[in-house]
Amino acid sequence: MSLTFLTGSERSQPLPARFLEQGDGDCASPASEPIGNGFSLDRTLGLGAPQIHGLLVDDDNLLGFGIYPGDRLIVDRSATPVVDQYLVVRPRGAAEYSLRLLAPDPRGGLLLKAARPSIPSMALDDPDSIEIWGVVLWVVSYVGRKQP
C-alpha cells in the first residue's frame, strides 16, 4: 500500500478572519442564506493544528475499507486509538507505513486488520513491535468531475 505524506506547504493554513465573518464584502449575500460563522472545512477537520496531518492514498489497496486512490486521510497524531478506528502504523524495522483497522481479537487482545483479506492481521500484543503513527479521523473524497 502506498501513502504519501503531504508536505507542510500543502497543509492548510488558518482561514483569514474575513472568511469567518458573516458575508464577504466582495460578494452579494442572498437573503435566504443562514446567518452565522459559516462552514469552515479547515475548522471542521482541525487543519492547521500541529498534530493534524494529511496523507494521500496512492493506490487501490484500501478499497476493502471503502477508501479510494486520491482520497485524503486526515490523521491525528495525538489521538488515543480505540477499537474500530483506522490507524497509520509501521512495524518496527519496516520502511513503509500502512493503514490498518484496530479490531478485537476473538482470542483476546487486539488485532490490526488489513483492507485485503489476503493480508494477515497483526497482533497488537507487543506495543513496542509496532509504531502507531496516528489515528485517522476523516477520509476526504473528491466525487466531482474534473474539468478539462
Side-chain angles (χ1 to χ4, degrees):
M1 177 187 59
S2 182
L3 296 172
T4 299
F5 288 75
L6 300 176
T7 64
S9 64
E10 293 178 21
R11 290 191 55 183
S12 187
Q13 300 301 317
L15 284 176
R18 71 182 184 100
F19 289 110
L20 298 177
E21 298 168 359
Q22 167 58 29
D24 186 338
D26 299 332
C27 299
S29 179
S32 62
E33 282 191 23
I35 297 174
N37 288 337
F39 174 73
S40 165
L41 189 60
D42 285 3
R43 191 171 49 241
T44 300
L45 300 181
L47 297 177
Q51 76 277 11
I52 303 296
H53 296 270
L55 282 73
L56 174 67
V57 177
D58 293 326
D59 57 33
D60 64 0
N61 284 320
L62 298 176
L63 291 176
F65 290 152
I67 300 173
Y68 295 86
D71 285 355
R72 270 63 171 184
L73 307 177
I74 307 303
V75 180
D76 187 340
R77 302 257 353 249
S78 67
T80 301
V82 295
V83 170
D84 292 331
Q85 283 186 315
Y86 297 116
L87 308 180
V88 178
V89 300
R90 179 174 62 174
R92 295 284 181 211
E96 291 187 353
Y97 289 90
S98 62
L99 189 77
R100 298 288 179 120
L101 177 66
L102 184 61
D105 185 341
R107 297 171 285 171
L110 296 170
L111 293 174
L112 292 170
K113 292 186 171 186
R116 292 186 177 205
S118 60
I119 299 173
S121 296
M122 295 186 286
L124 195 59
D125 50 5
D126 179 11
D128 292 331
S129 66
I130 297 172
E131 174 191 0
I132 298 175
W133 190 82
V135 176
V136 176
L137 299 180
W138 298 90
V139 177
V140 181
S141 296
Y142 180 78
V143 296
R145 187 181 290 174
K146 293 195 182 218
Q147 300 297 321

